Amino acid sequence: MIGTVIRTLIDLIPAQERGRAGRYAVLAVVSTALRAASCLLLLPLVSALFSTTPADAFGWLGALTAVTALAWAVDTALSRHGFALGFALLDRTHRDTAERVTRIPLGWFTGERTATARRALAAGGPELVGLVVNLLTPLLSAVLLPVALAAGLLVAAWPVGVAAVLALPALLVALWAGNRISRAADAADARAHSALTERVLEFARTQQALRAARRVDPARSAAGDAVTAQRGTTLRLLLLQVPGQLLFGVAAQLALVLLAGTTAVLAVRGDLPGPEAVALLVVAVRFVEPFTTLSELAPALETVRGTLADIRAVRTADAEPGAEGAIEVAGAPRVEFRDVTFGYGGTPVVDRLSFTLEPGTTTAVVGPSGSGKSTVLALLAGLHQPDGGRILIDGQDATALPPAARRRLCSMVFQHPYLFDGGVRDNIRAGDPTADDAAVDRAAALARVDRVVEGSTPVGEAGAALSGGERQRVTIARALLSPAPILLVDEATSALDTENEAAVTEALTADPRDRTRVVVAHRLGAVRTADRVLYLEDGALVEQGTPAELTARGGRFAEFRAHHERSAAWRVGRETGSAAPA
């Protein structure tokens, strides 16, 4: 486990800090050697005190003082290098992990991996900065000091040294076995804790629905189940820690008995003077102490190992290639799908899909649920890469573009909008951070959200302070502010009433920027203003053409249009409460 942590730390330390890491390692070894020397100097010091010339002890006392002072100086330098490495580790870890998350394909983010990414990004600053000084330094000292003492004992009293050498592997094996017993329980506890966090957050977010369904009792919810699971795994963890602690405790006592017994035998046989025997007993206790430190640090080491494993999982996840170069788009681009195939988990959602979006046109994508409409937008936006086929933007393969350049090409309005905690104006300006207030006001006016902007309303977490329609209009204003030459709209009017739907549809049409627009819609308002319609079914393109052409053709789009026109004509009757056509 220690080796895994050290290897991960070496991998995370920036290249420019490798020299400092080497100096840190040398200082750690020197510090341990000085600590061992100060302990072993007790042997001649005590021997001199009880000799016929006790004044000789002053020389050994001076040596002990000099070694102790030098050890303090080395430890000071060691701490300075340790904190510097900690800050370098923090900087690289947070920067690289956040950058990697933006390049990992969205299909990687399963529920478990999303929790892993969240833990990696939330790794605390003090935890990472103090990792080297507060954990790695004591660990190295606890591992190296018994080895140095055993080597010194081989010179000072070789039988006791041999006993120490024999005790070393036994203590390490006992410590390893105890940790291994509880590691599986630690992993289960971590998973249960992660599940509990997710369920508690879900329980808090869904209070409106739970109260409406009379399911507010935590014991009857998924949060209650998660609490029960967490309690069970915690109990198992505590129970499994007991045999590990007992195993190590017995091994430590046996090692101490072995060293003390060897010292006693030497003293009884007359091979070792009494004062030196007492000093050796002190050294024997000092030999066993670091293993107790290792045992106490094991839980913290396991926690750090889990944190570093989360960081490593994100940093080593497959990422989209960072191609070099850029793309020059003068105005609205021409976009082409050529035999594009894509699926989630191996099941195709779109299969050999081909169509062309002409520059500056508005294309409506319609079809039944599950036909692949939103997937087409995600592929256009670069959120997913095709499993087969090509997407061309002004003749250039989109997958060959750098991720940053690809993102600059598209602005997207999602079906379920998300707002960042802050002001409405700040959320709109996220579409173009360089935009001035006048440009923000124009985008807000187009999206009919200008009155909300004037009120400087804070949107709250995830936009909770705004209505569903207001949240949607803020995201539309954000998209309209963006200078991206491709505008993608996924059910932008789904949360709006008829009046606001017409206003927003007009705003998207009146957008002054020269763009190629693609709109996924179930309502006819957005379809009527489109230059072209793509009708998808089961991931395949069934029909395409202008709205008038497809209506006259009498195919699937005509059925879709007729169905929605009939639905719009239905009203609820006053007397019976039943639905009836108007």
PDB file of all heavy atoms in Angstrom, residues 328-349:
ATOM      1  N   GLU A 328     -10.928  27.634 -39.608  1.00  0.00           N
ATOM      2  CA  GLU A 328     -11.383  28.977 -39.929  1.00  0.00           C
ATOM      3  C   GLU A 328     -12.786  28.883 -40.520  1.00  0.00           C
ATOM      4  O   GLU A 328     -12.994  28.281 -41.571  1.00  0.00           O
ATOM      5  CB  GLU A 328     -10.425  29.640 -40.932  1.00  0.00           C
ATOM      6  CG  GLU A 328      -9.018  29.864 -40.389  1.00  0.00           C
ATOM      7  CD  GLU A 328      -8.992  30.858 -39.247  1.00  0.00           C
ATOM      8  OE1 GLU A 328      -9.896  31.725 -39.205  1.00  0.00           O
ATOM      9  OE2 GLU A 328      -8.099  30.764 -38.396  1.00  0.00           O
ATOM     10  N   VAL A 329     -13.753  29.474 -39.821  1.00  0.00           N
ATOM     11  CA  VAL A 329     -15.137  29.457 -40.284  1.00  0.00           C
ATOM     12  C   VAL A 329     -15.561  30.894 -40.533  1.00  0.00           C
ATOM     13  O   VAL A 329     -15.612  31.705 -39.604  1.00  0.00           O
ATOM     14  CB  VAL A 329     -16.069  28.792 -39.245  1.00  0.00           C
ATOM     15  CG1 VAL A 329     -17.512  28.887 -39.692  1.00  0.00           C
ATOM     16  CG2 VAL A 329     -15.670  27.335 -39.036  1.00  0.00           C
ATOM     17  N   ALA A 330     -15.809  31.211 -41.772  1.00  0.00           N
ATOM     18  CA  ALA A 330     -16.265  32.546 -42.137  1.00  0.00           C
ATOM     19  C   ALA A 330     -17.787  32.513 -42.220  1.00  0.00           C
ATOM     20  O   ALA A 330     -18.360  32.052 -43.206  1.00  0.00           O
ATOM     21  CB  ALA A 330     -15.646  32.982 -43.472  1.00  0.00           C
ATOM     22  N   GLY A 331     -18.462  32.968 -41.160  1.00  0.00           N
ATOM     23  CA  GLY A 331     -19.916  32.928 -41.154  1.00  0.00           C
ATOM     24  C   GLY A 331     -20.432  31.540 -40.837  1.00  0.00           C
ATOM     25  O   GLY A 331     -19.746  30.694 -40.271  1.00  0.00           O
ATOM     26  N   ALA A 332     -21.675  31.301 -41.226  1.00  0.00           N
ATOM     27  CA  ALA A 332     -22.322  30.017 -40.945  1.00  0.00           C
ATOM     28  C   ALA A 332     -21.684  28.908 -41.777  1.00  0.00           C
ATOM     29  O   ALA A 332     -21.503  29.047 -42.987  1.00  0.00           O
ATOM     30  CB  ALA A 332     -23.812  30.108 -41.250  1.00  0.00           C
ATOM     31  N   PRO A 333     -21.323  27.779 -41.163  1.00  0.00           N
ATOM     32  CA  PRO A 333     -20.660  26.707 -41.904  1.00  0.00           C
ATOM     33  C   PRO A 333     -21.651  25.724 -42.536  1.00  0.00           C
ATOM     34  O   PRO A 333     -22.834  25.674 -42.190  1.00  0.00           O
ATOM     35  CB  PRO A 333     -19.844  26.010 -40.830  1.00  0.00           C
ATOM     36  CG  PRO A 333     -20.677  26.161 -39.597  1.00  0.00           C
ATOM     37  CD  PRO A 333     -21.352  27.500 -39.720  1.00  0.00           C
ATOM     38  N   ARG A 334     -21.140  24.930 -43.456  1.00  0.00           N
ATOM     39  CA  ARG A 334     -21.873  23.807 -44.040  1.00  0.00           C
ATOM     40  C   ARG A 334     -21.507  22.564 -43.241  1.00  0.00           C
ATOM     41  O   ARG A 334     -20.328  22.269 -43.034  1.00  0.00           O
ATOM     42  CB  ARG A 334     -21.486  23.633 -45.506  1.00  0.00           C
ATOM     43  CG  ARG A 334     -22.298  22.585 -46.267  1.00  0.00           C
ATOM     44  CD  ARG A 334     -21.882  22.622 -47.735  1.00  0.00           C
ATOM     45  NE  ARG A 334     -22.748  21.820 -48.569  1.00  0.00           N
ATOM     46  CZ  ARG A 334     -22.520  20.544 -48.884  1.00  0.00           C
ATOM     47  NH1 ARG A 334     -21.432  19.945 -48.407  1.00  0.00           N
ATOM     48  NH2 ARG A 334     -23.356  19.883 -49.658  1.00  0.00           N
ATOM     49  N   VAL A 335     -22.512  21.846 -42.786  1.00  0.00           N
ATOM     50  CA  VAL A 335     -22.285  20.680 -41.938  1.00  0.00           C
ATOM     51  C   VAL A 335     -22.837  19.446 -42.639  1.00  0.00           C
ATOM     52  O   VAL A 335     -23.952  19.478 -43.179  1.00  0.00           O
ATOM     53  CB  VAL A 335     -22.962  20.836 -40.562  1.00  0.00           C
ATOM     54  CG1 VAL A 335     -22.679  19.631 -39.672  1.00  0.00           C
ATOM     55  CG2 VAL A 335     -22.489  22.119 -39.880  1.00  0.00           C
ATOM     56  N   GLU A 336     -22.051  18.377 -42.602  1.00  0.00           N
ATOM     57  CA  GLU A 336     -22.456  17.162 -43.319  1.00  0.00           C
ATOM     58  C   GLU A 336     -22.229  15.922 -42.446  1.00  0.00           C
ATOM     59  O   GLU A 336     -21.165  15.748 -41.854  1.00  0.00           O
ATOM     60  CB  GLU A 336     -21.653  17.035 -44.612  1.00  0.00           C
ATOM     61  CG  GLU A 336     -22.086  15.869 -45.494  1.00  0.00           C
ATOM     62  CD  GLU A 336     -21.307  15.804 -46.799  1.00  0.00           C
ATOM     63  OE1 GLU A 336     -20.443  16.693 -47.012  1.00  0.00           O
ATOM     64  OE2 GLU A 336     -21.544  14.881 -47.595  1.00  0.00           O
ATOM     65  N   PHE A 337     -23.251  15.099 -42.348  1.00  0.00           N
ATOM     66  CA  PHE A 337     -23.152  13.769 -41.748  1.00  0.00           C
ATOM     67  C   PHE A 337     -22.948  12.766 -42.872  1.00  0.00           C
ATOM     68  O   PHE A 337     -23.754  12.712 -43.804  1.00  0.00           O
ATOM     69  CB  PHE A 337     -24.432  13.418 -40.985  1.00  0.00           C
ATOM     70  CG  PHE A 337     -24.418  13.792 -39.535  1.00  0.00           C
ATOM     71  CD1 PHE A 337     -23.930  15.019 -39.124  1.00  0.00           C
ATOM     72  CD2 PHE A 337     -24.916  12.921 -38.568  1.00  0.00           C
ATOM     73  CE1 PHE A 337     -23.932  15.385 -37.792  1.00  0.00           C
ATOM     74  CE2 PHE A 337     -24.926  13.267 -37.233  1.00  0.00           C
ATOM     75  CZ  PHE A 337     -24.430  14.498 -36.842  1.00  0.00           C
ATOM     76  N   ARG A 338     -21.893  11.942 -42.780  1.00  0.00           N
ATOM     77  CA  ARG A 338     -21.656  10.910 -43.782  1.00  0.00           C
ATOM     78  C   ARG A 338     -21.631   9.548 -43.109  1.00  0.00           C
ATOM     79  O   ARG A 338     -20.666   9.187 -42.417  1.00  0.00           O
ATOM     80  CB  ARG A 338     -20.323  11.146 -44.497  1.00  0.00           C
ATOM     81  CG  ARG A 338     -20.324  12.320 -45.451  1.00  0.00           C
ATOM     82  CD  ARG A 338     -19.019  12.368 -46.229  1.00  0.00           C
ATOM     83  NE  ARG A 338     -18.949  13.513 -47.122  1.00  0.00           N
ATOM     84  CZ  ARG A 338     -17.871  13.829 -47.855  1.00  0.00           C
ATOM     85  NH1 ARG A 338     -16.782  13.066 -47.788  1.00  0.00           N
ATOM     86  NH2 ARG A 338     -17.890  14.894 -48.630  1.00  0.00           N
ATOM     87  N   ASP A 339     -22.707   8.801 -43.254  1.00  0.00           N
ATOM     88  CA  ASP A 339     -22.795   7.436 -42.729  1.00  0.00           C
ATOM     89  C   ASP A 339     -22.404   7.375 -41.250  1.00  0.00           C
ATOM     90  O   ASP A 339     -21.636   6.505 -40.818  1.00  0.00           O
ATOM     91  CB  ASP A 339     -21.913   6.484 -43.540  1.00  0.00           C
ATOM     92  CG  ASP A 339     -22.398   6.307 -44.958  1.00  0.00           C
ATOM     93  OD1 ASP A 339     -23.622   6.347 -45.164  1.00  0.00           O
ATOM     94  OD2 ASP A 339     -21.557   6.157 -45.864  1.00  0.00           O
ATOM     95  N   VAL A 340     -22.933   8.279 -40.455  1.00  0.00           N
ATOM     96  CA  VAL A 340     -22.571   8.359 -39.042  1.00  0.00           C
ATOM     97  C   VAL A 340     -23.327   7.308 -38.244  1.00  0.00           C
ATOM     98  O   VAL A 340     -24.552   7.179 -38.362  1.00  0.00           O
ATOM     99  CB  VAL A 340     -22.863   9.770 -38.488  1.00  0.00           C
ATOM    100  CG1 VAL A 340     -22.675   9.797 -36.969  1.00  0.00           C
ATOM    101  CG2 VAL A 340     -21.960  10.793 -39.147  1.00  0.00           C
ATOM    102  N   THR A 341     -22.578   6.561 -37.451  1.00  0.00           N
ATOM    103  CA  THR A 341     -23.145   5.553 -36.553  1.00  0.00           C
ATOM    104  C   THR A 341     -22.658   5.842 -35.145  1.00  0.00           C
ATOM    105  O   THR A 341     -21.485   6.141 -34.941  1.00  0.00           O
ATOM    106  CB  THR A 341     -22.724   4.135 -36.971  1.00  0.00           C
ATOM    107  OG1 THR A 341     -23.216   3.869 -38.285  1.00  0.00           O
ATOM    108  CG2 THR A 341     -23.281   3.089 -36.009  1.00  0.00           C
ATOM    109  N   PHE A 342     -23.579   5.753 -34.183  1.00  0.00           N
ATOM    110  CA  PHE A 342     -23.203   5.966 -32.780  1.00  0.00           C
ATOM    111  C   PHE A 342     -24.190   5.236 -31.887  1.00  0.00           C
ATOM    112  O   PHE A 342     -25.387   5.162 -32.180  1.00  0.00           O
ATOM    113  CB  PHE A 342     -23.213   7.458 -32.428  1.00  0.00           C
ATOM    114  CG  PHE A 342     -22.940   7.718 -30.975  1.00  0.00           C
ATOM    115  CD1 PHE A 342     -21.651   7.674 -30.470  1.00  0.00           C
ATOM    116  CD2 PHE A 342     -23.992   7.970 -30.097  1.00  0.00           C
ATOM    117  CE1 PHE A 342     -21.410   7.898 -29.118  1.00  0.00           C
ATOM    118  CE2 PHE A 342     -23.759   8.190 -28.749  1.00  0.00           C
ATOM    119  CZ  PHE A 342     -22.455   8.159 -28.265  1.00  0.00           C
ATOM    120  N   GLY A 343     -23.665   4.703 -30.786  1.00  0.00           N
ATOM    121  CA  GLY A 343     -24.531   4.024 -29.836  1.00  0.00           C
ATOM    122  C   GLY A 343     -23.981   4.123 -28.431  1.00  0.00           C
ATOM    123  O   GLY A 343     -22.806   4.427 -28.218  1.00  0.00           O
ATOM    124  N   TYR A 344     -24.846   3.858 -27.453  1.00  0.00           N
ATOM    125  CA  TYR A 344     -24.461   3.841 -26.048  1.00  0.00           C
ATOM    126  C   TYR A 344     -24.329   2.386 -25.612  1.00  0.00           C
ATOM    127  O   TYR A 344     -25.283   1.628 -25.690  1.00  0.00           O
ATOM    128  CB  TYR A 344     -25.508   4.542 -25.189  1.00  0.00           C
ATOM    129  CG  TYR A 344     -25.772   5.973 -25.603  1.00  0.00           C
ATOM    130  CD1 TYR A 344     -26.863   6.281 -26.423  1.00  0.00           C
ATOM    131  CD2 TYR A 344     -24.955   7.007 -25.182  1.00  0.00           C
ATOM    132  CE1 TYR A 344     -27.117   7.588 -26.809  1.00  0.00           C
ATOM    133  CE2 TYR A 344     -25.197   8.321 -25.556  1.00  0.00           C
ATOM    134  CZ  TYR A 344     -26.286   8.598 -26.369  1.00  0.00           C
ATOM    135  OH  TYR A 344     -26.531   9.897 -26.748  1.00  0.00           O
ATOM    136  N   GLY A 345     -23.140   2.012 -25.188  1.00  0.00           N
ATOM    137  CA  GLY A 345     -22.947   0.646 -24.732  1.00  0.00           C
ATOM    138  C   GLY A 345     -23.073  -0.385 -25.828  1.00  0.00           C
ATOM    139  O   GLY A 345     -23.479  -1.522 -25.579  1.00  0.00           O
ATOM    140  N   GLY A 346     -22.746  -0.005 -27.054  1.00  0.00           N
ATOM    141  CA  GLY A 346     -22.752  -0.951 -28.160  1.00  0.00           C
ATOM    142  C   GLY A 346     -24.054  -1.036 -28.918  1.00  0.00           C
ATOM    143  O   GLY A 346     -24.115  -1.631 -29.994  1.00  0.00           O
ATOM    144  N   THR A 347     -25.141  -0.461 -28.395  1.00  0.00           N
ATOM    145  CA  THR A 347     -26.432  -0.479 -29.086  1.00  0.00           C
ATOM    146  C   THR A 347     -26.558   0.780 -29.931  1.00  0.00           C
ATOM    147  O   THR A 347     -26.558   1.890 -29.387  1.00  0.00           O
ATOM    148  CB  THR A 347     -27.595  -0.536 -28.082  1.00  0.00           C
ATOM    149  OG1 THR A 347     -27.446  -1.689 -27.254  1.00  0.00           O
ATOM    150  CG2 THR A 347     -28.932  -0.587 -28.815  1.00  0.00           C
ATOM    151  N   PRO A 348     -26.643   0.660 -31.266  1.00  0.00           N
ATOM    152  CA  PRO A 348     -26.703   1.856 -32.120  1.00  0.00           C
ATOM    153  C   PRO A 348     -27.955   2.688 -31.843  1.00  0.00           C
ATOM    154  O   PRO A 348     -29.058   2.158 -31.737  1.00  0.00           O
ATOM    155  CB  PRO A 348     -26.732   1.279 -33.537  1.00  0.00           C
ATOM    156  CG  PRO A 348     -26.189  -0.102 -33.409  1.00  0.00           C
ATOM    157  CD  PRO A 348     -26.626  -0.578 -32.054  1.00  0.00           C
ATOM    158  N   VAL A 349     -27.752   3.994 -31.696  1.00  0.00           N
ATOM    159  CA  VAL A 349     -28.867   4.928 -31.565  1.00  0.00           C
ATOM    160  C   VAL A 349     -29.133   5.597 -32.903  1.00  0.00           C
ATOM    161  O   VAL A 349     -30.279   5.823 -33.272  1.00  0.00           O
ATOM    162  CB  VAL A 349     -28.571   5.977 -30.477  1.00  0.00           C
ATOM    163  CG1 VAL A 349     -29.700   6.999 -30.375  1.00  0.00           C
ATOM    164  CG2 VAL A 349     -28.364   5.293 -29.128  1.00  0.00           C
TER     165      VAL A 349
END
